[in-house]
Amino acid sequence: MIIYLIRHGETDWNLQGRLQGREDIPLNKTGIQQAIACGKALQTIEFQSIQTSPLLRAKETAEIIASRQNCQLCVNSKLIERDFGLLSGLTPLERQTFEKEDRPDGMEPWDVLAKRALMAINELGETYPNDKIAIISHGAWINALLAVISRHEIGSGKTSLKNACISLLYREKSEWEIGFYNLTADEFSPSLYRNFIKFSSNTQN
């Protein structure tokens, strides 16, 4: 099984450095163009399913990508972004001020987020064991997954994911592996995908 992890396109809150969390912020003009470019880059990959977070910025990105595919688009609540609690909507400066107050922030614990993300791909792995699917989600969600699979070599606290970036996961002997991560549409190419598939097939043989 192969999973393409795609972060949503840019929003105005991304530009302002605000934590979005569960806030339902739409894509801005740049984000729409990023999603269009991502959809074009992936149009030769025939997905059996496109799974999206229920939040608007992810759904808009997913719909644009799905417009170049011939498969079902499914909203999956397990793909929703981390709940940042009282930090949601705050700028970096506002977060610094909040942290000085030393009070509970109500944020979803990282281990709960990571467990939820891993559970989501394991469930999808059971449903689509020999297929290629796309997951459109969020920065903290994807980074938590990358951290777990890489044993914290990349991901949370280490990787700054670009908007509309593409990462690839695959299953090797019942274990998840990372093929590549954090590529923009310009950095990704179908030849990279074909070379990966060739390498993966040789590894399995």
Side-chain angles (χ1 to χ4, degrees):
M1 183 195 186
I2 294 174
I3 294 178
Y4 282 79
L5 295 175
I6 301 158
R7 189 187 179 201
H8 63 79
E10 184 185 87
T11 70
D12 286 342
W13 277 25
N14 286 140
L15 285 177
Q16 298 163 11
R18 296 181 184 274
L19 284 180
Q20 294 179 104
R22 305 284 174 87
E23 305 297 328
D24 218 5
I25 311 302
L27 297 179
N28 60 22
K29 290 182 179 179
T30 298
I32 292 171
Q33 291 304 311
Q34 290 170 336
I36 291 171
C38 188
K40 288 180 179 179
L42 295 171
Q43 64 185 349
T44 59
I45 312 300
E46 296 181 359
F47 295 121
Q48 280 67 52
S49 177
I50 296 176
Q51 304 275 325
T52 180
S53 156
L55 295 177
L56 184 58
R57 56 193 184 274
K59 286 199 296 184
E60 288 179 334
T61 303
E63 288 166 358
I64 291 170
I65 293 171
S67 69
R68 295 177 178 272
Q69 296 283 333
N70 183 26
C71 67
Q72 186 179 17
L73 175 61
C74 301
V75 175
N76 188 331
S77 62
K78 289 188 175 69
L79 311 183
I80 198 168
E81 178 60 303
R82 184 180 191 178
D83 186 346
F84 286 105
L86 296 177
L87 299 181
S88 290
L90 301 188
T91 64
L93 182 58
E94 289 169 340
R95 293 198 295 274
Q96 289 179 13
T97 301
F98 183 94
E99 289 167 2
K100 290 177 182 177
E101 297 175 358
D102 192 27
R103 58 191 176 98
D105 54 29
M107 185 162 48
E108 179 182 17
W110 185 89
D111 58 338
V112 173
L113 168 67
K115 183 178 180 180
R116 173 164 61 85
L118 190 59
M119 181 185 300
I121 64 167
N122 283 336
E123 288 179 357
L124 290 170
E126 295 300 318
T127 305
Y128 304 95
N130 300 303
D131 295 328
K132 296 184 293 290
I133 70 169
I135 287 176
I136 291 79
S137 189
H138 307 267
W141 190 97
I142 294 172
N143 259 335
L145 199 52
L146 294 176
V148 170
I149 295 171
S150 71
R151 296 175 177 81
H152 296 278
E153 289 187 10
I154 61 173
S156 304
K158 295 185 176 181
T159 303
S160 179
L161 292 175
K162 306 160 192 170
N163 284 111
C165 67
I166 305 167
S167 304
L168 183 144
L169 306 180
Y170 64 99
R171 261 187 166 170
E172 183 75 25
K173 297 179 180 178
S174 300
E175 296 293 331
W176 290 104
E177 303 287 349
I178 299 168
F180 53 78
Y181 68 100
N182 204 22
L183 300 184
T184 64
D186 289 338
E187 293 167 335
F188 174 83
S189 70
S191 62
L192 173 64
Y193 165 75
R194 286 193 294 269
N195 289 339
F196 168 77
I197 294 302
K198 183 178 180 181
F199 168 78
S200 180
S201 297
N202 290 339
T203 301
Q204 291 172 7
N205 292 335

